[in-house]
Amino acid sequence: MDMKIEVVVLPVADVDRAKDFYETTLGWRTDVDRSGDDGFRVVHVTPPGSPCSILFGGRVTTADPGSLQGLHLVVDDIVAAREELAGRGVGISEVFHDAGGFFHHAGTEARVPGPDPGRGSYASFASFEDPDGNGWVLQEITTRLPGR
């Protein structure tokens, strides 16, 4: 049986501010923006080229705003993607790789400036936060692992 991640629910404090960031600043597509009774609101946005979307709104999660960390966006050119986001006004880190050479540690621990020296797939990163502090990581993948 196939199982696919379709939507990730993101906790935000201000729905309109989050929508502006994801739609206007990042350039993501808004798929749904619907309101119901008692402050219930669902906003569904999708990054360009992604089969998975994020959903946020009013009364859609009990998680604390800004509590999601390590959400990954896959790109095929980490340097170009970082430059594009910086050009859109996103406060994004410099490109880095991990001192251990495999994935990355939590937070800013063991970050080495610059892309992975061999530009190995899965090994170069940049990070940013949304206005609530939810943490995103760009990860460069040029060749996927077998079966992916």
Side-chain angles (χ1 to χ4, degrees):
M1 171 189 339
D2 284 351
M3 293 186 187
K4 299 173 184 164
I5 294 178
E6 183 77 18
V7 174
V8 174
V9 178
L10 195 67
V12 302
D14 182 320
V15 178
D16 290 321
R17 179 183 68 184
K19 182 180 178 192
D20 183 60
F21 177 76
Y22 287 101
E23 181 180 67
T24 305
T25 304
L26 294 183
W28 294 10
R29 182 186 72 235
T30 297
D31 301 312
V32 174
D33 185 350
R34 300 208 41 199
S35 297
D37 296 333
D38 302 323
F40 182 73
R41 182 175 173 194
V42 174
V43 178
H44 187 267
V45 297
T46 305
S50 179
C52 184
S53 303
I54 65 166
L55 182 146
F56 53 86
R59 299 182 56 216
V60 296
T61 181
T62 58
D64 292 331
S67 61
L68 258 62
Q69 299 298 311
L71 298 160
H72 280 61
L73 295 167
V74 171
V75 299
D76 59 9
D77 184 332
I78 193 74
V79 174
R82 190 226 168 259
E83 287 175 3
E84 180 178 329
L85 289 181
R88 289 176 158 272
V90 175
I92 187 165
S93 75
E94 294 297 325
V95 174
F96 65 91
H97 61 282
D98 191 78
F102 181 74
F103 201 60
H104 61 84
H105 288 72
T108 58
E109 179 186 346
R111 287 187 177 183
V112 178
D116 174 64
R119 286 306 277 271
S121 207
Y122 297 90
S124 298
F125 310 93
S127 63
F128 68 94
E129 294 182 345
D130 74 6
D132 285 292
N134 293 300
W136 292 89
V137 177
L138 297 182
Q139 181 179 31
E140 183 177 74
I141 299 178
T142 55
T143 303
R144 291 214 169 260
L145 294 172
R148 297 274 316 175

